[in-house]
Amino acid sequence: MNVLIVGGGGREHAIAVSILKSPRVKKLYCVPGNAGIASIATCEPISVMDFDHIIAFAKEKAIDFAIVGPDDPLVGGLVDRFEEAGIKTFGPRKNAALLEGSKAFSKDLMKKYHIPTAAYENFDSAKDAINYLESCDFPIVLKADGLALGKGVLICETKEDAVLGVKSIMENKDFGNAGNRMVIEEFMTGREVSVLAFVDGHTIKTMTSAQDHKRAEDHDKGLNTGGMGTFSPSPFYTEEVDQFCKEFVYQKTVDALLQEGREFKGIIFFGLMLTPNGPRVLEYNARFGDPETQVVLPRMKNDLLEVMEACIDGTLDQIELEFEDNAAVCVVLASKGYPLSYEKGIPMSGFEAFDGKEEYYCFHAGTALKDGQIVTNGGRVLGITGVGSNLIEARQKAYEATNWINFSSKYMRTDIGKAIDEA
Ligand code: AMP
Ligand code: GLY
C-alpha cells in the first residue's frame, strides 16, 4: 500500500514511525514533512492547506491511503477532497471536524446532550459579551470560537482584564477570524488529562491517557504553547475517572455527533479537567494531540494501519486496543524565544546517538535539511521520548537523551513529568 501522511510536526513523525511497522506499507510519503520524517519517508514540500497540489501529488504517487494530521486541513475539508478523489483517508470529514473547528458548536453539543463541561455562553458581538461580564464571577475564561494555534484562550482575573480580552478577540481580531464569535465560560480548577480515542462513526476505543504541559516555562509559568512535553499514562486518570467518562463523556459524544448528522471517523481528543465536582470536558480536538502522540503511539501494540482502516470501515468493534504496561515521557526541545520570536536555520547535531537504541525516540517537529545539514525550522524543534518500565524511569531516559542533541538556541522545560512525584 502507498501511504501519504499530511503534516510536518512531531505528531506526524510519530505516526510515520508507527505506520511503518505495518507490513502492508509499501511506500510512505509525507507533505510537507520535516528532516526526521525525510529519513524514513519521501517528503514533498507542499503546504498542508494547498489542497489542489496535495490531491494532484496523491494521484501521481498512486496513494491508496491518506492520513491527515493537523487541525487546519481537517477543519478545512481535506478529508472530503481525498474521498472525492477516491482515496481512503483517516480523519473526520469537514462537517465532523467542526467539533474542533468551533468551540461554540462543541459547547452547544455538550449542553444539548448533557455532557459535563464548564457553564458558558456564546457571543456574536463584543457589546453583548461585555454586558454579560457584569453578571460574572471572576476569574473567567474567554475563548475565541475558531482555530487559533492553541492560543485563543484567555483566563481573566478581573472584569477589567476580561473587557480587554473581549476587545482583543472580537474587535482587534488578535486571533483573526477565529474571533468572529466567542465563548465565555466558567473557570474550573483541577488536573488536566488528555485522552485520545479512535472512532469509527459508532464505536469509540480510548487509548492510554496522557498529560501535556502547555506553558513555556517551569512550574507552569510563562505563555501558553502548543505543548512543551507530555507523559503517559497519567497516574491521575484513575479507574473511577475512566468509568465516569465511559458513562458520561466518550460514547455520548460519538452518539451526539451521529444524532446531529455529523458522523465522526478518526481521532477524538478529549481534553479533560478533573475538577472537585468530577471530570469535565475542557475541549475537543478532532486529531491526534501534539506532543501527546509522541508518548501514546510508542506504547501501542496494535498495527496502527489496521486500526485506522477499521475506523474508516466501521469495524472498530472488532479491534482490541492494546498498550504496553510501561510509561513514556516526551520533552520538547524548543527554540529559545518560543512561542514569541525565535531564530530558524540553526545547525543541529547529535542525532546518531539515537541509532539502535530502542527505548529512546527523537521525533522531529520544526527541523529542515539545508545543504545536507539538519537545521532548526520552527518553535518546537524536537520531541525527545524516553520509554521505561515506569514514569520515573521514562523521565530519566528522556532527559538523558535531551543531552545528546546540540543546537545553540536549544531550550526546554526541566520539570516535564514532575507531577508524577506527587501521585
Ligand atoms: P483549550 O484550548 O480549551 O484546551 O484551553 C487551553 C487551556 O486553557 C486548557 O488546557 C486549560 O489549561 C485552560 N482552560 C480552558 N478552559 C478552562 C476553564 N474553563 N477553566 C480553567 N482553565 C481552562
Ligand atoms: N497538545 C495539545 C494539542 O495537541 O492540542
Side-chain angles (χ1 to χ4, degrees):
M1 221 183 229
N2 292 333
V3 178
L4 170 65
I5 298 175
V6 176
R11 163 183 49 217
E12 286 76 22
H13 193 182
I15 292 171
V17 167
S18 284
I19 213 91
L20 278 174
K21 291 187 198 147
S22 172
R24 287 165 53 227
V25 177
K26 197 172 89 199
K27 192 135 178 43
L28 184 63
Y29 295 91
C30 188
V31 292
N34 59 39
I37 300 174
S39 68
I40 54 173
T42 304
C43 295
E44 186 75 12
I46 306 174
S47 146
V48 299
M49 294 309 285
D50 190 349
F51 293 1
D52 290 341
H53 276 114
I54 293 174
I55 300 298
F57 178 74
K59 284 184 177 164
E60 182 195 318
K61 300 297 178 194
I63 297 298
D64 305 292
F65 193 91
I67 301 163
V68 182
D71 48 4
D72 278 315
L74 286 168
V75 171
L78 181 56
V79 172
D80 309 55
R81 290 289 306 273
F82 272 122
E83 287 183 350
E84 281 157 29
I87 297 168
K88 216 172 178 180
T89 305
F90 181 78
R93 294 183 186 137
K94 183 174 180 163
N95 76 340
L98 194 66
L99 186 66
E100 174 164 7
S102 166
K103 290 194 192 278
F105 167 77
S106 73
K107 294 296 291 189
D108 286 347
L109 188 84
M110 286 188 265
K111 187 192 259 179
K112 182 168 171 190
Y113 293 91
H114 308 289
I115 296 165
T117 188
Y120 76 101
E121 291 290 335
N122 295 336
F123 296 93
D124 289 313
S125 89
K127 189 164 150 274
D128 293 347
I130 289 168
N131 282 342
Y132 174 76
L133 292 172
E134 293 296 333
S135 61
C136 291
D137 292 329
F138 292 86
I140 194 109
V141 183
L142 311 182
K143 298 185 174 183
D145 177 53
L147 297 180
L149 297 167
K151 290 173 192 140
V153 175
L154 304 175
I155 295 175
C156 302
E157 301 290 335
T158 64
K159 194 171 88 187
E160 291 67 34
D161 272 357
V163 170
L164 290 176
V166 168
K167 288 184 174 165
S168 137
I169 293 173
M170 298 203 88
E171 287 180 355
N172 299 347
K173 293 277 158 71
D174 287 340
F175 307 101
N177 287 337
N180 290 347
R181 298 178 80 189
M182 68 175 291
V183 176
I184 300 188
E185 74 174 31
E186 165 201 8
F187 175 76
M188 305 186 293
T189 54
R191 282 194 187 281
E192 290 181 40
V193 182
S194 305
V195 175
L196 279 57
F198 289 98
V199 182
D200 75 352
H202 300 257
T203 300
I204 177 161
K205 297 261 163 116
T206 54
M207 295 178 236
T208 181
S209 62
Q211 186 180 322
D212 188 10
H213 295 68
K214 287 207 169 77
R215 302 291 202 95
E217 295 165 25
D218 282 3
H219 313 295
D220 290 326
K221 296 263 184 335
L223 295 170
N224 256 321
T225 70
M228 293 298 292
T230 37
F231 57 87
S232 169
S234 163
F236 307 103
Y237 190 79
T238 59
E239 191 60 37
E240 193 188 347
V241 173
D242 189 53
Q243 280 308 322
F244 179 93
C245 294
K246 282 196 168 116
E247 190 173 347
F248 298 107
V249 177
Y250 302 143
Q251 189 66 48
K252 279 179 86 168
T253 301
V254 176
D255 294 346
L257 284 161
L258 203 55
Q259 194 76 28
E260 295 294 309
R262 297 175 186 273
E263 182 186 60
F264 192 106
K265 294 182 174 199
I267 300 287
I268 299 183
F269 166 141
F270 298 86
L272 302 170
M273 186 172 261
L274 310 180
T275 78
N277 301 319
R280 299 282 181 268
V281 177
L282 272 179
E283 64 159 349
Y284 292 116
N285 294 317
R287 51 170 174 84
F288 276 107
D290 192 347
E292 282 85 348
T293 308
Q294 291 90 308
V295 286
V296 169
L297 285 187
R299 301 184 53 226
M300 193 168 103
K301 291 188 193 173
N302 303 71
D303 179 320
L304 179 59
L305 185 61
E306 208 169 87
V307 182
M308 287 180 163
E309 279 196 298
C311 289
I312 299 169
D313 297 341
T315 54
L316 190 60
D317 58 335
Q318 290 162 33
I319 298 238
E320 202 57 59
L321 285 187
E322 286 186 279
F323 288 83
E324 304 282 354
D325 183 19
N326 60 9
V329 171
C330 173
V331 178
V332 169
L333 299 188
S335 298
K336 207 172 177 49
Y338 173 73
L340 296 174
S341 61
Y342 48 84
E343 255 183 87
K344 288 185 186 177
I346 294 177
M348 307 175 67
S349 63
F351 296 98
E352 62 288 349
F354 287 84
D355 292 348
K357 295 207 180 68
E358 275 209 347
E359 294 187 315
Y360 299 84
Y361 296 81
C362 177
F363 294 119
H364 288 232
T367 66
L369 275 171
K370 201 169 131 196
D371 307 324
Q373 160 77 51
I374 299 178
V375 298
T376 63
N377 192 39
R380 290 190 293 173
V381 180
L382 298 173
I384 306 294
T385 295
V387 176
S389 56
N390 57 46
L391 284 163
I392 303 213
E393 199 183 304
R395 180 176 60 190
Q396 184 265 323
K397 282 184 169 167
Y399 273 108
E400 174 197 352
T402 61
N403 293 317
W404 303 344
I405 296 287
N406 302 301
F407 56 102
S408 62
S409 58
K410 176 170 139 184
Y411 169 77
M412 67 184 147
R413 274 183 62 161
T414 64
D415 64 346
I416 300 301
K418 197 95 204 296
I420 302 163
D421 304 333
E422 299 158 26

